[in-house]
Amino acid sequence: MATLARLGVAPFRYMAPALAVRPCLRCSSVGHAAFLHFIEIPACVYKTYSTLPSTKLPTTLSLAHQQQTLSEAVLKEQEGQLTLGEDASCATTKGFGKKDAWASEEPQQCSVRSKKKTIKKKKTLIMRDKEPAVHQDECVVTKDSAKQDACASEEPQQSRTTCNKTKLSKTGKLKKKDKEPAVPQDEDCQIHQVAQIKNISAARLGKDDLVSKANDAPDKLKYKKKQQKKTTQQKRYYTQEVAGVLAYLEACITTGELDLAQLCLQRLEKSATYGQYLRTSMYNILIHAWAKQGSLLHVAQLFSNMKKLMVKPDLSSYVGALECMGRAEHCPENILNRLLQDMEQNGFTLQHMFDRYPFFSEERAGVLHTVRRVRPDFLWQYQYRKDPYSLPLVAQCYDQFKKEMPSFPRLPFTANELRQMFRKQLAMEEAGFVTVESVKASKSVNSDTARQRKGRIEHLRSHWRQELPLAFRDAKSKVNPRRVSHFGTSIYPFLLLLSEDDYIDIMMMAITTLPPNGEALIVFAKDLGRKVQSRFCIKCKEKIGITALVTKVYDHYVELLASDGKVHDKFPREYWQELERDLLHWYAYGHEDVIWPDTTTMQLGTFLTNIMVSDMNIPKNAKNPLQQTLIPAVYHTYNYQSKRKIGFIKPHPLLTQILESDHNSSLIFDAFVMPTYCPPVPWTSPTFGGYIVTPAQLIRMEEGITKQRDLLDHCKEEDPSKLHVVLDTVNQLGSCPWQINEEVLDVIISLFNSGGSTQLGVPPPPSAGPILPKYDPTGKTGIADRTDYNKAVRLARKTLFEMHSLHMDAEYKLSIANAVRHRTFWFPHNIDFRGRSYSCPPHFNHIGSDTTRSLLQFAEGKPLGPNGFDWVKIHLVNLMGRKKCESLSERLRYANAHMEDVLDSADRPLEGQRWWMESDEPWQTLACCKEIAKAVRSPDPAAFFSHLPVHQDGSCNGLQHYAALGRDVVGAASVNLIPHEVPQDVYAVVAQKVEEKRLQDAANGLQIAQVLEGFVNRKVVKQTVMTVVYGVTRYGARLQVEKRLNELEDFPKAHVWKASTYLSRGIFHSLKEMFASTREIQVKTSIQSITVCNMDIQQKPHTMKQKNAFPPNFIHSLDSTHMMLTALNCYRKGLTFVSIHDCFWTHAKTVDIMNQVCREQFVALHSQPILENLSNFLLWKHSGLLPVKKKEHEGHFKLLDLLKRVPKKGDLNLQQVMDSVYFFS
C-alpha cells in the first residue's frame, strides 16, 4: 500500500462488495452493446457519460461520485423519471471529448438535454434534406458515430473509408441513396470495385451488367487488389509516427497529463488519414493508466472504441481491465465473468496470463484476487515453459550439456566483491555520466594562473546555472500543449519528464563536449534528445521499482559467477530467469522502454538547442568575467557538404579557449561509454540485458526498421528457444573480464604527449598540421591564383579537421584506459541483424585498432602449460606479418632466432633497436614481446600465468564458407579446408594465375600487359580477393586495384586506369576458375525487392545494391553462426573465449582445445542442408507474389524455376577440415 500511495495509485479493493445492477426498464438491457466486453451500464446512463468530455471526467467526477450516479440513474430509470427513447444497441458516443456548453451540468440534466438536442438535430437535418448516417434498425445517431460503426466490419487500416450512406424518409423508414450505394460484400464487393474503376454508378446497373463490366476489366481489378494488398502490408509495420505517438502517450501518462493522452487518441480515432495508424499498444497505455486510478468508465470507453475500430485487444489489454476492476470501488461479478469469457475466446487463458505477463508482485496478487471472485477454484502455480529446441544444431549443443558435466568458468572474485562492483556500476548509471582525467599533458603554469583559470570556469558555470532555469521555464511556458501535430502529439509532455536541473545538466554537458569545429545540428539535437530519453528511462525504472528488483536478483546471481559461488551447471540466462521466477514470480521484465523515434528526439533536442543558442552566454572579455558585455557561447551556422546545405552548431572560439584550459584535467563521458565495473546483466530478452538500468537493445537496428522487431516479437512468443543460443552467446562474450596492460599504456601515453607517430598509429596533435595558406595576387608571399588558393585552403582545413578528430579519438581511448587501469572491467555485447557481435561501449573495446587491442589482456591468468609458450611465439610471428606461407614449425624457429630482438623490444621499446616497430601490428607485437620476456625470465615458463590473448584467424573465411557450401575441392584446397604441409595462400595463388595470364597477353603484344611486368604481386590482388566473396562489383574491384597501384612509387601513373581495369578482370577470371561451384552459388537474381513505406509514399531502394548486399549478408550470417556455436561449446569446456568476427581469442594454454571445437562446429554447421533450406525459404517467400503485369509473369516463373534448382555440389569431404592445421591458425 505504501508503494501505491507513493505513486498515486488506487489500491486494490480486495473486499469491495459488488454493485447490484438491475436491468434497465426503458431500454430492456443491462449493458450497452459496445460494452459487452466489459462494464454493464444501461444505455440511458451510458448516453449521459458518453457525452461528457473526457477532460472533465477526472476532475468533476470522483470514483465514488461515478458509482453513486450510476446507482441513482438506474433507480430513476426504473421509476420512469429518466427517458431517452433510444434502444441500447443504437446508443453511441457523441463527440467524446468535445467541449459542450452543458458539460458541467448534472448527469440527469445532461441526459435530458442530450435527448432534446438529438431530436432537434434530427428534425433540422430532415428539413434541410440532409443525409444523416444511420446505424442499424431505425435509430438516428450522430454522423461521426455512424461512420465508425459502419466501418467497424472492415479491416482496421480501412476503418475510415467511405461508409454506407442512407437517408431517412418522412415515414421514418430507411431509403437507400441512389448515387452512393452501400459498400458491397464478397462477390458484390468485387463488382462494386470494378464499377468504381469504370466510373459507372452502381445504381444505374443491374448485377448482370456489373458482372459483364467486371469481365471487361479483370486486369484493372487485379491491379487494384494488388495495390490494396500492398497498402495493407505496409501499414502493418510500425512507422516513426506510430513510435512517436507511443512515446507521447507514455510521456503524458508519466507526467500526469491524461487529458492530453486521451485527446491524442481521440484525434487519431476521428482522423480518416491518420486513424489507420492506431495500434493496440496505444490503447493499452491509456487502459493501464486509467486502471491505476480504478476508473471503469474510461477503460470501458477505450474498449468500446477498440471494438468499433476493429482494434483487437491483447493480453495486456485484458490485464489492465482486470486490474481496473480490482482497484474500482464496485464491480459486478457478471461483468467480470463476461470479461474472462471474452478473454478466453480470444485465446488467452488465465494460466497463460499469469505465466507470461510480467506483473509486479502487488499487481499479480490484486488481479489474482479479482479473478478468484468469480473463479474461486482457480489455483495458479508457475509452469516453466521449456520449449524443445527446434533447430538441430542448437538442440545438439544443449543436449550435450545435459549428458556431460560442463565446467563453466569462474571469476577470480568473491560474491561480496561482485556485489560491491554492482553497486558502483549502478551508481554510475544512475548518475548518467562520469568524469575522467585526461591523459593529455598539462602545460606548466604558476599557481596564480591556474587559480584564475579555475575561477573563470567556475564563474561561467555558476552563471549558466542561474540563467538557464529561467530561460527553460520561459521557453516551456510558450509551448501550447493543445497545439499538436497531425498525429495529435506535441513536445510539451517531454519537457515535464525530468526536473529542471536534469535538463540543465544535459545542456551544460553537451556544450562542454562540443568539438571546436562544431557538430551538425541534426546530430547534436538528436544526441541531446537521446540523453533526455536515457535519463528518463533510468529514473522511471527507479520510480516503479525495477531497479530494486534487479538489485535483488543480482545479489543472488553472483553465486553463479563468484569463485566461492554455490551454483553450478547453468547458463547465466537460465539462472537469472530461475531467480526471477523464484524470487519475484516474474518470468521477464515487463517494463520495456518505449522507443523514441528520431523525430521526437530531434524536436526535443532542437528545443534545448534553441535555449543554448539564445541564453548561454560568455563574457566578451575573458580576462574580466565580471564584465557585463556578454556574447553567445554557441551559435548556429551553415556548412556545405557534398553540395548540401547543413546546419551546424559551433562554439564560440573564446568558449573553446576557456574550456581547453580545463580539458587538460578532465573529460566527461556518458555512462554507457565506459566499460562496466561488474559482470553485465545477462540478456534474457531482446530489450533487457547488458546494463543495469541504462536502456539497450540486443540487436542494432536503424531507426524505422520494424520488420526485425516484428520477427523478434514473433519468435519470443512462438518459439523462444530460437533466441536462447543468441542470448547465451552474447552473454558469454560479455562475461569475459579484462584488465589494462599498464606497461604498454605508459609507452603509448608518453608517445602521445611527445607528438605522436603516424607510422605507429598514434595521431599527432592538430598543432603539427599544415598552416593555412595565404592569398597574394603578386605571388610573393602566398598563392596568386584564387582557385588554387581556395582549393589549398579547403585541403588544409580538411587535414586539420581530420587530425583533430583522430587526436581526440586517441585521447578518449587512452583516457578511458587510464581511468580503469587498476581495476577489472567488462564489455557488454550486442549483435547486428546478421548476428555479428559488437561491444556496446563505442570508444574503447577489443574490436578497435591495433593500439586499443594492445592495451587489453585477460583479467584471469592461466599457466602456459606444455604448448602454450610455443603458441605465444607463433602468435608473435603472425602479428609481425612474416612467414604467412610457412609452416608453424618454421614460424616457431623464426621466433626463437629473434629472441634477442624480442627481449630488447620489451626492455627498451623507444630507446632500443625498435624491432617491434617493423611489425604489421606494432603495439600488439610489443605487448607480446613483454609477455614472452616475462615468461622467459620466470623460473618455469610452463608454469607462468599468462594474461595475453592469443589469436586464431580464419584463412579467408568468406571463401571458406563458399567452398564448404559448394563442396568445391579446388576452392577448399586454396583456403585450407584440406590438410597441407604448409598453409595455402589464396592471395598468392590468384596473383600467380593473373601473372600467367599477363605473360600470355604480353607475348601477344598487349601493351598494358607489358607495362604491368613486375608489378603483379600478392599485395595488389589481396583486397579484391578478400572482398569478392562479399559482393564487390567490378567497378569497386577496379578502384581497389587502382589504389594499390597508386601506392607503388615506380609505377607509371598514366597507365593506372587501364592497368586497374585489366587486373580486376584477371582477378575475377582467376577466381571463377578456382571456385567453380562457388560461382554457381553466387547467382544474383532480382529476388530482393523491398518497399520502404513513408506515410503513403512508396520508395524503392537501389535494386543493384540490394542484389549485391544479399551474398555478403548471407555469408556473414554463416560466420556469425559458426562463432556462436564455437563460443557456446568453449564456454561449456571452461575456456575464456572472445571473438572479432572470424578471429577467435583465448589463452595460450587452451588454443588447442579451441581449435578442435572450432573445426567441429564448422563441420556440424555445413553438414546441414543450408542451400536446400535457403531454396525452400525463397520459394515460400516469392511463389505467391505474382507480378501485376502479364509480361512479367514469364520472368517470375523463370525465377521460381531457378530457385528450385539447388547448385550441384562437388566432392569435398568436410571431415578433412578436422585435420587441417591451417584452417584457423
Side-chain angles (χ1 to χ4, degrees):
M1 291 296 181
T3 303
L4 294 177
R6 176 173 55 87
L7 298 178
V9 178
F12 282 96
R13 310 288 180 175
Y14 288 161
M15 305 302 295
L19 175 65
V21 179
R22 302 176 183 178
C24 177
L25 300 178
R26 181 65 180 170
C27 59
S28 301
S29 67
V30 182
H32 179 255
F35 279 178
L36 291 181
H37 286 291
F38 208 81
I39 184 171
E40 296 182 353
I41 304 176
C44 50
V45 181
Y46 167 67
K47 184 66 178 179
T48 301
Y49 279 93
S50 66
T51 53
L52 286 177
S54 64
T55 55
K56 297 295 183 181
L57 283 175
T59 55
T60 59
L61 296 177
S62 63
L63 297 178
H65 188 192
Q66 293 178 31
Q67 294 295 341
Q68 179 183 2
T69 305
L70 289 178
S71 303
E72 292 176 356
V74 171
L75 294 177
K76 291 181 180 181
E77 174 67 19
Q78 295 173 353
E79 296 172 1
Q81 298 179 13
L82 182 65
T83 58
L84 283 179
E86 295 169 330
D87 188 74
S89 61
C90 68
T92 58
T93 56
K94 174 188 176 183
F96 191 78
K98 292 184 179 179
K99 293 185 177 181
D100 297 304
W102 41 270
S104 60
E105 297 178 7
E106 291 297 324
Q108 179 181 352
Q109 298 175 356
C110 293
S111 301
V112 175
R113 185 159 186 173
S114 173
K115 172 189 173 183
K116 294 180 179 179
K117 187 172 182 179
T118 305
I119 296 175
K120 183 178 180 179
K121 182 175 181 180
K122 169 183 172 182
K123 293 180 179 180
T124 305
L125 290 175
I126 295 176
M127 292 178 61
R128 297 182 180 179
D129 199 22
K130 298 285 185 181
E131 295 82 19
V134 179
H135 186 58
Q136 56 183 351
D137 301 333
E138 298 181 7
C139 304
V140 179
V141 295
T142 60
K143 191 172 183 180
D144 290 340
S145 300
K147 286 186 178 181
Q148 293 180 2
D149 294 338
C151 300
S153 61
E154 300 178 14
E155 292 296 325
Q157 295 84 358
Q158 300 175 353
S159 61
R160 293 297 176 184
T161 55
T162 306
C163 61
N164 185 9
K165 292 186 177 181
T166 58
K167 68 179 181 178
L168 193 67
S169 63
K170 293 183 179 180
T171 59
K173 296 184 178 181
L174 298 178
K175 180 179 180 181
K176 290 192 174 181
K177 191 175 180 179
D178 295 335
K179 295 185 179 180
E180 298 186 20
V183 176
Q185 302 293 333
D186 301 330
E187 180 183 359
D188 293 341
C189 181
Q190 300 179 5
I191 301 171
H192 180 74
Q193 291 175 356
V194 177
Q196 287 182 336
I197 294 174
K198 292 294 186 178
N199 294 324
I200 300 175
S201 175
R204 301 176 183 176
L205 296 173
K207 185 172 182 179
D208 296 336
D209 296 332
L210 289 176
V211 171
S212 63
K213 294 295 182 181
N215 294 332
D216 294 339
D219 292 339
K220 293 184 178 180
L221 178 59
K222 185 186 297 184
Y223 177 78
K224 189 173 184 64
K225 285 184 178 180
K226 183 68 176 179
Q227 292 300 109
Q228 291 177 350
K229 184 177 181 181
K230 279 187 177 181
T231 304
T232 303
Q233 290 175 346
Q234 292 168 359
K235 292 174 183 177
R236 290 174 185 168
Y237 303 129
Y238 287 94
T239 60
Q240 284 199 358
E241 290 77 11
V242 173
V245 173
L246 292 174
Y248 176 80
L249 293 176
E250 184 194 42
C252 290
I253 300 304
T254 304
T255 57
E257 300 289 341
L258 272 72
D259 299 344
L260 296 180
Q262 191 80 32
L263 290 175
C264 173
L265 199 60
Q266 291 167 6
R267 185 184 182 94
L268 289 177
E269 290 173 343
K270 296 179 181 180
S271 173
T273 303
Y274 305 105
Q276 60 189 345
Y277 295 100
L278 285 169
R279 298 292 186 270
T280 306
S281 54
M282 298 178 185
Y283 285 94
N284 289 344
I285 292 176
L286 281 172
I287 288 175
H288 283 276
W290 290 120
K292 291 290 187 295
Q293 299 187 12
S295 177
L296 283 173
L297 287 178
H298 286 95
V299 174
Q301 180 63 47
L302 292 170
F303 267 81
S304 174
N305 294 347
M306 291 173 70
K307 180 182 178 182
K308 293 177 183 177
L309 300 175
M310 297 297 289
V311 180
K312 187 176 180 180
D314 59 10
L315 184 61
S316 179
S317 308
Y318 291 111
V319 170
L322 289 172
E323 181 184 355
C324 181
M325 292 180 176
R327 297 185 190 278
E329 293 185 357
H330 303 286
C331 178
E333 293 183 357
N334 55 350
I335 304 175
L336 183 56
N337 254 326
R338 189 172 301 167
L339 176 69
L340 295 178
Q341 293 173 4
D342 186 76
M343 182 181 74
E344 292 171 350
Q345 289 176 0
N346 286 332
F348 303 113
T349 64
L350 290 175
Q351 181 68 39
H352 175 78
M353 179 183 69
F354 285 103
D355 283 349
R356 300 298 295 171
Y357 189 80
F359 291 95
F360 287 99
S361 57
E362 190 174 46
E363 291 176 349
R364 185 189 300 276
V367 173
L368 185 61
H369 184 276
T370 302
V371 170
R372 285 175 178 169
R373 287 176 50 193
V374 294
R375 305 278 179 90
D377 297 333
F378 176 73
L379 296 176
W380 172 74
Q381 185 176 4
Y382 184 81
Q383 297 178 358
Y384 176 55
R385 178 179 176 181
K386 283 193 174 182
D387 300 286
Y389 292 98
S390 57
L391 304 176
L393 285 177
V394 178
Q396 179 183 0
C397 179
Y398 283 90
D399 288 343
Q400 290 179 355
F401 297 160
K402 300 177 182 178
K403 297 177 183 178
E404 304 176 7
M405 182 62 67
S407 56
F408 296 131
R410 292 278 184 171
L411 297 177
F413 302 100
T414 63
N416 287 332
E417 289 175 339
L418 291 177
R419 294 186 185 104
Q420 293 176 4
M421 294 178 179
F422 173 83
R423 263 87 181 159
K424 186 173 184 179
Q425 174 66 23
L426 178 59
M428 183 178 68
E429 292 188 28
E430 289 181 336
F433 63 92
V434 60
T435 302
V436 173
E437 295 296 321
S438 175
V439 297
K440 183 184 294 185
S442 302
K443 297 180 181 180
S444 58
V445 294
N446 55 45
S447 58
D448 293 337
T449 304
R451 194 183 310 109
Q452 182 181 4
R453 289 180 177 178
K454 185 176 181 180
R456 183 172 56 185
I457 295 174
E458 290 179 353
H459 177 270
L460 186 61
R461 291 174 177 169
S462 175
H463 172 72
W464 289 341
R465 287 283 180 188
Q466 295 176 0
E467 297 297 330
L468 286 179
L470 300 177
F472 181 80
R473 292 183 209 130
D474 181 63
K476 185 171 64 174
S477 64
K478 297 178 181 178
V479 178
N480 184 3
R482 304 287 175 172
R483 186 176 181 181
V484 296
S485 65
H486 296 295
F487 283 84
T489 62
S490 70
I491 197 178
Y492 179 75
F494 296 98
L495 303 177
L496 307 176
L497 293 176
L498 304 175
S499 63
E500 287 185 358
D501 292 338
D502 290 326
Y503 290 105
I504 304 308
D505 290 340
I506 291 173
M507 287 188 283
M508 291 184 62
M509 187 173 65
I511 198 172
T512 55
T513 57
L514 188 62
N517 294 319
E519 188 73 81
L521 175 59
I522 186 173
V523 176
F524 184 77
K526 190 185 300 183
D527 184 60
L528 279 176
R530 292 296 179 197
K531 291 182 189 308
V532 175
Q533 179 193 11
S534 179
R535 188 164 298 192
F536 162 68
C537 291
I538 293 172
K539 290 184 177 296
C540 185
K541 290 176 182 178
E542 181 181 3
K543 179 179 179 181
I544 64 179
I546 287 183
T547 304
L549 295 176
V550 175
T551 303
K552 181 178 180 180
V553 175
Y554 199 94
D555 286 343
H556 292 77
Y557 169 71
V558 296
E559 296 291 339
L560 177 67
L561 308 177
S563 58
D564 59 345
K566 302 177 182 179
V567 181
H568 305 273
D569 310 337
K570 294 182 184 297
F571 278 106
R573 171 193 53 81
E574 291 179 335
Y575 186 53
W576 186 277
Q577 290 178 338
E578 286 183 10
L579 292 173
E580 287 178 347
R581 296 191 301 270
D582 298 339
L583 299 177
L584 312 176
H585 301 291
W586 206 9
Y587 178 72
Y589 291 100
H591 180 81
E592 293 189 1
D593 300 319
V594 175
I595 299 174
W596 290 14
D598 286 345
T599 53
T600 300
T601 55
M602 275 289 299
Q603 291 176 1
L604 182 57
T606 304
F607 177 86
L608 299 179
T609 303
N610 289 333
I611 296 177
M612 295 173 62
V613 172
S614 60
D615 295 282
M616 293 191 79
N617 301 314
I618 57 176
K620 187 175 182 180
N621 187 355
K623 295 182 179 181
N624 184 13
L626 299 179
Q627 182 182 1
Q628 296 301 319
T629 304
L630 300 176
I631 58 176
V634 293
Y635 57 96
H636 179 252
T637 184
Y638 292 96
N639 281 357
Y640 286 90
Q641 294 182 358
S642 301
K643 299 182 180 180
R644 295 177 58 191
K645 189 177 181 181
I646 299 177
F648 259 72
I649 296 296
K650 289 188 177 182
H652 195 280
L654 184 57
L655 174 65
T656 303
Q657 179 183 353
I658 295 174
L659 295 178
E660 280 183 351
S661 62
D662 186 50
H663 268 206
N664 291 332
S665 59
S666 63
L667 296 171
I668 301 177
F669 293 108
D670 292 313
F672 67 87
V673 170
M674 299 292 293
T676 60
Y677 296 152
C678 68
V681 175
W683 289 96
T684 56
S685 73
T687 56
F688 178 79
Y691 296 95
I692 303 173
V693 291
T694 301
Q697 296 290 324
L698 175 66
I699 299 182
R700 302 184 174 198
M701 287 180 280
E702 296 291 336
E703 183 67 33
I705 302 298
T706 57
K707 180 65 174 178
Q708 294 166 5
R709 290 193 178 94
D710 294 341
L711 292 175
L712 277 176
D713 294 339
H714 176 77
C715 182
K716 186 170 61 175
E717 293 296 330
E718 299 298 329
D719 190 2
S721 66
K722 291 182 178 180
L723 286 177
H724 288 174
V725 64
V726 178
L727 298 173
D728 292 338
T729 301
V730 177
N731 292 333
Q732 188 273 330
L733 296 175
S735 64
C736 175
W738 298 90
Q739 67 182 17
I740 295 297
N741 190 331
E742 297 184 21
E743 295 180 0
V744 178
L745 176 62
D746 292 335
V747 176
I748 298 177
I749 290 177
S750 64
L751 185 61
F752 176 79
N753 287 323
S754 60
S757 172
T758 305
Q759 177 186 357
L760 297 177
V762 181
S767 58
I771 301 176
L772 292 178
K774 296 181 180 180
Y775 174 71
D776 184 4
T778 62
K780 296 179 180 180
T781 59
I783 303 176
D785 185 74
R786 174 67 71 174
T787 303
D788 294 341
Y789 165 75
N790 292 334
K791 184 177 180 181
V793 169
R794 286 196 301 269
L795 181 61
R797 286 178 176 173
K798 179 182 178 182
T799 303
L800 290 173
F801 178 76
E802 293 174 351
M803 291 182 65
H804 178 270
S805 299
L806 294 174
H807 190 74
M808 291 302 299
D809 179 66
E811 182 182 354
Y812 288 168
K813 293 177 179 178
L814 294 176
S815 299
I816 294 174
N818 190 57
V820 297
R821 66 155 56 206
H822 299 306
R823 62 179 61 135
T824 303
F825 53 89
W826 287 260
F827 294 126
H829 278 63
N830 58 7
I831 59 176
D832 64 8
F833 70 97
R834 302 164 299 186
R836 286 197 154 192
S837 62
Y838 301 89
S839 175
C840 292
H843 296 305
F844 181 70
N845 56 65
H846 67 289
I847 309 180
S849 61
D850 169 58
T851 307
T852 308
R853 295 183 188 183
S854 67
L855 298 175
L856 293 170
Q857 59 184 14
F858 295 135
E860 180 186 9
K862 290 187 178 181
L864 289 175
N867 301 324
F869 196 25
D870 290 341
W871 277 115
V872 174
K873 295 176 182 178
I874 293 172
H875 176 57
L876 173 68
V877 180
N878 291 340
L879 292 172
M880 292 289 296
R882 313 283 176 83
K883 305 296 180 179
K884 292 186 176 181
C885 298
E886 301 293 340
S887 63
L888 295 181
S889 59
E890 177 61 25
R891 300 180 198 179
L892 184 60
R893 188 200 64 78
Y894 178 84
N896 291 327
H898 289 78
M899 190 58 62
E900 293 184 2
D901 296 327
V902 172
L903 297 177
D904 178 75
S905 299
D907 297 336
R908 300 184 301 163
L910 299 179
E911 299 83 11
Q913 298 178 5
R914 305 181 183 182
W915 176 79
W916 61 276
M917 293 185 182
E918 302 174 5
S919 171
D920 290 348
E921 308 286 348
W923 291 108
Q924 293 180 78
T925 302
L926 177 61
C928 192
C929 289
K930 289 182 175 295
E931 193 79 0
I932 293 175
K934 294 177 184 177
V936 168
R937 292 163 180 166
S938 65
D940 181 10
F944 173 74
F945 274 74
S946 174
H947 297 261
L948 182 74
V950 176
H951 308 173
Q952 294 289 281
D953 201 352
S955 178
C956 198
N957 190 243
L959 285 175
Q960 286 179 332
H961 283 286
Y962 264 123
L965 285 173
R967 304 295 194 272
D968 191 340
V969 178
V970 178
S974 302
V975 291
N976 297 298
L977 293 185
I978 298 176
H980 291 281
E981 295 293 331
V982 294
Q984 300 298 302
D985 189 356
V986 65
Y987 310 118
V989 174
V990 172
Q992 181 181 354
K993 287 184 173 293
V994 174
E995 176 63 14
E996 292 175 357
K997 183 66 168 61
R998 187 202 66 79
L999 291 174
Q1000 295 177 5
D1001 294 339
N1004 295 331
L1006 185 62
Q1007 180 184 5
I1008 193 62
Q1010 296 172 353
V1011 172
L1012 281 168
E1013 183 177 359
F1015 294 102
V1016 179
N1017 53 41
R1018 181 181 185 274
K1019 185 176 182 180
V1020 171
V1021 305
K1022 178 180 179 180
Q1023 186 179 11
T1024 304
V1025 175
M1026 187 170 21
T1027 56
V1028 70
V1029 66
Y1030 298 127
V1032 67
T1033 61
R1034 293 187 181 271
Y1035 176 75
R1038 191 198 66 78
L1039 293 179
Q1040 292 172 348
V1041 176
E1042 179 181 346
K1043 185 177 181 180
R1044 300 285 83 81
L1045 293 176
N1046 283 324
E1047 294 175 355
L1048 302 177
E1049 297 180 357
D1050 52 347
F1051 186 80
K1053 306 303 180 184
H1055 297 280
V1056 169
W1057 191 90
K1058 289 185 178 181
S1060 60
T1061 303
Y1062 173 82
L1063 289 178
S1064 60
R1065 290 176 181 174
I1067 293 172
F1068 275 92
H1069 181 73
S1070 300
L1071 288 173
K1072 185 176 181 180
E1073 292 180 355
M1074 294 173 59
F1075 297 87
S1077 300
T1078 298
R1079 295 301 298 175
E1080 292 187 21
I1081 301 173
Q1082 285 186 307
V1083 174
K1084 299 173 184 178
T1085 62
S1086 58
I1087 59 175
Q1088 288 227 330
S1089 177
I1090 63 176
T1091 302
V1092 178
C1093 180
N1094 180 16
M1095 293 292 290
D1096 295 330
I1097 303 175
Q1098 299 180 9
Q1099 295 177 334
K1100 275 198 172 184
H1102 197 289
T1103 306
M1104 184 59 67
K1105 290 183 179 180
Q1106 289 294 315
K1107 294 178 183 178
N1108 293 336
F1110 181 77
N1113 288 338
F1114 184 73
I1115 295 300
H1116 281 315
S1117 68
L1118 289 180
D1119 71 48
S1120 65
T1121 303
H1122 177 223
M1123 181 275 297
M1124 290 182 180
L1125 295 173
T1126 304
L1128 288 180
N1129 284 275
C1130 286
Y1131 186 72
R1132 177 175 59 90
K1133 293 180 179 294
L1135 273 65
T1136 300
F1137 177 88
V1138 178
S1139 77
I1140 304 177
H1141 309 320
D1142 60 347
C1143 181
F1144 300 162
W1145 296 11
T1146 190
H1147 286 92
K1149 177 184 178 180
T1150 56
V1151 170
D1152 293 322
I1153 302 176
M1154 185 188 70
N1155 281 336
Q1156 181 71 14
V1157 173
C1158 171
R1159 286 155 177 77
E1160 290 175 352
Q1161 299 309 313
F1162 185 87
V1163 173
L1165 172 62
H1166 285 282
S1167 297
Q1168 303 297 317
I1170 298 176
L1171 292 180
E1172 290 78 3
N1173 292 339
L1174 176 63
S1175 174
N1176 295 334
F1177 170 75
L1178 293 176
L1179 284 172
W1180 169 81
K1181 184 176 181 180
H1182 298 282
S1183 59
L1185 300 178
L1186 187 65
V1188 177
K1189 299 180 180 179
K1190 288 186 176 180
K1191 62 181 181 180
E1192 297 179 357
H1193 288 186
E1194 183 178 355
H1196 181 74
F1197 293 136
K1198 288 183 179 180
L1199 169 63
L1200 296 180
D1201 183 65
L1202 176 64
L1203 296 178
K1204 293 178 183 178
R1205 291 185 277 111
V1206 178
K1208 184 179 179 181
K1209 298 182 180 180
D1211 301 324
L1212 173 65
N1213 181 9
L1214 284 177
Q1215 292 300 324
Q1216 292 180 290
V1217 176
M1218 299 298 301
D1219 301 323
S1220 177
V1221 177
Y1222 305 104
F1223 167 64
F1224 266 64
S1225 63

